[in-house]
Structures are given as structure tokens and as C-alpha cells.
Amino acid sequence: MTAPMTAPGDGTSRRRTRERARGHAGETTPERRAPAPAADPATPPAEAPANALTAPRDGLPPVIDRIQPLLAWCEAAAAAPDEAVAVDVERASSFRYSQRAYLIQLRTASAGTALIDPIAFTLPESLRTVLTERTWVLHAATQDLPSLAELGLTPSGLFDTELAGRLLGMPRVGLGAVVEDTLGLHLAKEHSAADWSKRPLPEPWLVYAALDVEVLVEVRDVLAARLETAGKSEWAEQEFRHLIATGVPAPREEPWRHLHGMGTLRQRTQLAAARAMWERRDAIAQREDLSPHRVIRDRDLVAAAGAAVRGKAAFDAALPAPLRRKDTWWQAARSGLELPEEHLPGRTEPSYPPPHKLWGRKHPEVWERYLLVRDAVGARAEDLELPTENLLTPSLLRRWVWENPTVPEEARIEEDLLALGARPWQVEQTAPVIHRALTETAAESVTEAPAED
């Protein structure tokens, strides 16, 4: 007989799990540093605060839109090959179809800041050489690395200030918050959602762009010292190497299924209409270099696809007024509606493992194991003062639980987590916790089982 599991919200269960997570003799907890207090999220004042970073220290450099000034910057940077380079990219994702870079900001101590227009000319090989030879300092590197990779720019070493902030348990990890926490400077972020494909770029935008790399290396220095003090430097290095090795993520399979509001479509014919409309929207957006949401918004597309099964009048009524009576959308939806049965999409996207939200009803024994392990890993993350998702990715943990109906040896858990993509430091911190949580629960179940007559 298996002892009943305590509900996830039960305080006794969480306390017991935390006690187990902390009690492992072989685990070491890095020295703790109290998180910096979060600044009040007040509305920005009309006047810049006294500690505001308002202008580049060397003045605003001109935009580099031809090769000679860039070659001069590369030559100056090459004179100090050991210096890190601050890197940032401005895109126009809310306005344009692609994720291409419309402005690249670079800064080294010796060469100063370069604001490069990668649309104006082909980047020279010398830039790739200069950048490859040194450590890149970025904030939220996963956002910028794909755009840079499209231009043939990839790092051999990097430091991600956002990820470092997460490992340190900082309460806010946006660039402005991290700059204020580390250097005591206020960095305005008012142009982050601007249309950077615009030409010429307004001077206030260029000031904003230059300031994004102005103090990034200094921020790196402070965070690196904090990581060292906290005993987390090696963790950060493993994470940074993983970012480089991962490269550009593969595109999603069946991206149309990720339309916002798809859960409202229950019929396969509605799904087929939504898929056909998504494909038409994607073709228009790509051809006209527009963000797909500027062609037709997700919610409008899904609403029209849902109404399409009731006929053209209902379909038109579900569209916004400017899009009504435009046959392009009805033709697309109808092409989906008229598909033979065998070509209609399934109601749900195939996934492995099955969605964990269904486990409690369809796989209760897996759900119980998952809750137990999830709480144990969460308690360990709390002890280490970092977000649970940075200690072990939730999807990775769920897959491991799904594939292990019995309790493996701790060494086997380590092997499995590594094979699923966990970094060695994550495995070191979580494998003992997972093993102990499962084995102690199994032992309790045996002890609490009623004796036979």
C-alpha cells in the first residue's frame, strides 16, 4: 500500500522536502550574499535622476555605414586583444518580419564605441577576426546571438550579465536594474521597442543605443566578483559555454499551433482554417517584410478561423472592420475547410512526454513523483538563492520523471540528467536531492503500510 501524497500546497510537505534537500552531507551551499533591495517601480520622473547615465562619456560617435570607419575601429580594437567587448543588437521585431540586426553596438576600452549599420554594407572579415578573439559581454545573450550569427559573428567566449544576475538571485535582471544594482547608475530604456529599421535613426535613439554598451564591461566586472564570492563562478562558466554550444535554436515544428488563443478552436476544420490563414499571413509578412501581427493579429485570425465553419458572413463578422470583405483571408480559410478528412490537422500537437497538466488525471502515479521531485528541486534552488528554472529546466525535470517509473541509483540519475542537457553543476546540485526525495518516500511508504494479519 502506498502512503497518500500530501497536496502540493501543504506547508508540512514543503517543510519536510526542504529539510531533506538541505540535509545531504555531500552538498555545499555557496556563501550567501543578501539580494539587493528592489527599486520602487515608480513612473520615471520628468527630470532625469541625479545618477542618470544620459550621454556617452566620449560623446556620441557617428553611425558607421561604410567600411573605412569600421576598419579603423577594428584596428584600434586589435591593439588590445585581451580586452572584452561589450555587444548589443537593436532589431525591429514588432515592425519587421525578420529578426535581423538593424544596428550593432560594440565597445572596447581602447577603441571606444562603434554604432554599426549592418544594412548599409557587408561587414568585413577583419571585424569577425577582432570579435572572435575576445570575450563578448552581452545582456540576455539568447536574444542577440541569432541575429549576430546571421551575419557570421559568433563568440568564442562570452559573459551574459542577465544570466549572471539570475545565478546570483538578483530580484530584477533587466539591464537597467542590473546597472543600477552594480554601479548605482540609472539607465533609461525608453527606446527598447522602437522601429530600428527606420533611416536615418534619430539622435536620441543613437544615444540610447550607445549607452547600452557604455558600462556593460564594468557591470561584468562587478558581477564576476560577486559570482566568485558566492562560489558560483564555475556555474556561470558552464552556462556561458552552453550558450555558445547551443547556437541558434531550431525553428518550432508546426508554428501555427502557437497562435494566441488556439485553445478556443475545438474542431479539426477550424484548426485547418487557422493553419491555412497562418500560412497566408506568413507569406504576406515575409514578402512585405512586416511583423505578422501587423498583417493580422493572432486573436483576429483565430476568431475568424473559429467562425469560418458557419460560413462567409460569420467569418467576415469575426474580422476587424478594415479586413472585412477581403477575399484573401476567406480564400485561405476555405482552403483549410475543404481539405479531405485525412489531411485535417489533429486537435492537439503531438508531444513527448504528454502535457504534464494531464498527469494528475491520466497518470496519477507520475504526477505524484513529479510533485515530490519538483518540490525537492525547488527547495534546493531556494537554498542556493537562484530561480528554480536556472537550477534545472522544468521541461527537463518533467521528462526525467516521465522516463523513470522506478528509483534509479544516484549515479544513473546523474547520467540521465547530463544526457538530457543539464550542465555538470546542475547535476551535482540536483541528482542527490532527487534521489533522496524518492528513496525516502519509498521507505516511508513501506514503514507506513499496515501489517498483515
Side-chain angles (χ1 to χ4, degrees):
M1 173 180 175
T2 302
M5 296 290 294
T6 310
D10 185 87
T12 303
S13 174
R14 286 200 297 268
R15 284 195 300 274
R16 184 173 64 181
T17 304
R18 280 194 283 270
E19 288 167 1
R20 291 173 181 163
R22 293 174 183 135
H24 184 55
E27 292 173 5
T28 57
T29 302
E31 181 180 341
R32 296 186 180 183
R33 181 181 62 82
D40 293 334
T43 303
E47 294 183 2
N51 63 342
L53 194 60
T54 57
R57 68 192 75 173
D58 303 323
L60 180 64
V63 173
I64 297 176
D65 55 6
R66 52 195 179 90
I67 194 168
Q68 289 304 323
L70 183 53
L71 292 176
W73 185 90
C74 291
E75 184 177 355
D82 295 332
E83 291 178 347
V85 56
V87 181
D88 192 29
V89 170
E90 305 298 345
R91 296 174 298 278
S93 307
S94 298
F95 300 88
R96 299 296 178 182
Y97 179 81
S98 72
Q99 295 295 314
R100 72 186 302 179
Y102 283 96
L103 188 71
I104 301 173
Q105 305 101 282
L106 306 173
R107 180 176 177 82
T108 71
S110 297
T113 297
L115 302 178
I116 305 169
D117 180 357
I119 308 299
F121 65 108
T122 301
L123 300 180
E125 187 62 32
S126 55
L127 177 63
R128 297 181 180 86
T129 301
V130 165
L131 294 182
T132 301
E133 293 174 348
R134 64 192 70 226
T135 298
W136 295 13
V137 182
L138 307 96
H139 190 84
T142 53
Q143 297 181 20
D144 293 342
L145 290 178
S147 302
L148 293 164
E150 284 185 9
L151 298 168
L153 303 175
T154 55
S156 56
L158 67 80
F159 188 104
D160 186 336
T161 52
E162 183 200 47
L163 184 49
R166 291 182 179 278
L167 294 177
L168 289 166
M170 294 175 65
R172 296 185 300 148
V173 293
L175 179 57
V178 172
V179 169
E180 191 149 8
D181 182 281
T182 54
L183 303 180
L185 298 173
H186 175 79
L187 182 64
K189 300 297 295 176
E190 66 269 24
H191 299 302
S192 58
D195 180 4
W196 290 90
S197 66
K198 179 178 180 179
R199 293 296 185 272
L201 289 168
E203 182 173 315
W205 296 14
L206 295 173
V207 171
Y208 162 89
L211 292 178
D212 269 1
V213 294
E214 179 77 8
V215 294
L216 206 50
V217 173
E218 290 96 316
V219 170
R220 185 278 307 263
D221 294 341
V222 174
L223 294 177
R226 291 182 182 178
L227 288 168
E228 184 66 29
T229 299
K232 298 179 178 179
S233 292
E234 176 57 27
W235 300 4
E237 285 299 324
Q238 290 182 26
E239 291 298 310
F240 300 156
R241 289 195 294 269
H242 176 72
L243 284 177
I244 296 173
T246 301
V248 179
R252 284 173 163 176
E253 294 185 5
E254 297 192 293
W256 63 273
R257 289 189 182 272
H258 299 278
L259 286 162
H260 184 69
M262 281 292 287
T264 62
L265 305 184
R266 303 299 183 186
Q267 301 177 33
R268 294 177 66 195
T269 48
Q270 292 175 322
L271 295 175
R275 179 177 63 184
M277 291 179 69
W278 182 93
E279 291 171 347
R280 180 67 57 85
R281 182 182 76 167
D282 192 66
I284 294 171
Q286 187 171 10
R287 183 179 69 244
E288 299 183 9
D289 192 18
L290 288 173
S291 168
H293 302 288
R294 290 183 174 268
V295 178
I296 181 173
R297 294 177 298 181
D298 278 11
R299 66 184 183 188
D300 296 327
L301 187 156
V302 171
V309 294
R310 302 197 303 272
K312 189 174 187 303
F315 179 86
D316 283 343
L319 287 173
L323 294 177
R324 290 175 188 167
R325 295 181 300 280
K326 291 193 176 180
D327 286 343
T328 183
W329 299 114
W330 173 243
Q331 290 169 2
R334 191 174 63 180
S335 71
L337 296 174
E338 294 176 350
L339 286 173
E341 179 74 18
E342 62 270 20
H343 293 300
L344 293 174
R347 290 185 178 87
T348 58
E349 181 182 13
S351 63
Y352 178 84
H356 70 284
K357 294 179 180 179
L358 304 178
W359 291 1
R361 178 166 52 88
K362 294 188 175 182
H363 310 282
E365 71 290 346
V366 181
W367 181 242
E368 290 183 354
R369 287 200 313 274
Y370 171 62
L371 292 180
L372 182 72
V373 172
R374 183 194 66 181
D375 284 354
V377 172
R380 185 60 183 155
E382 184 179 319
D383 284 343
L384 297 173
E385 296 183 338
L386 50 79
T388 302
E389 61 269 21
N390 288 109
L391 178 58
L392 202 62
T393 307
S395 59
L396 187 156
L397 181 62
R398 289 194 291 268
R399 179 164 178 174
W400 184 88
V401 171
W402 178 261
E403 294 179 349
N404 287 273
T406 59
V407 185
E409 294 297 324
E410 187 175 321
R412 173 64 183 275
I413 297 176
E414 294 175 355
E415 293 174 2
D416 289 347
L417 294 179
L418 286 171
L420 289 172
R423 270 66 78 197
W425 76 269
Q426 295 174 319
V427 173
E428 179 185 1
Q429 295 298 328
T430 58
V433 167
I434 294 171
H435 183 262
R436 184 170 62 256
L438 292 173
T439 53
E440 291 185 4
T441 298
E444 288 175 4
S445 299
V446 173
T447 303
E448 296 173 10
E452 295 182 0
D453 292 335

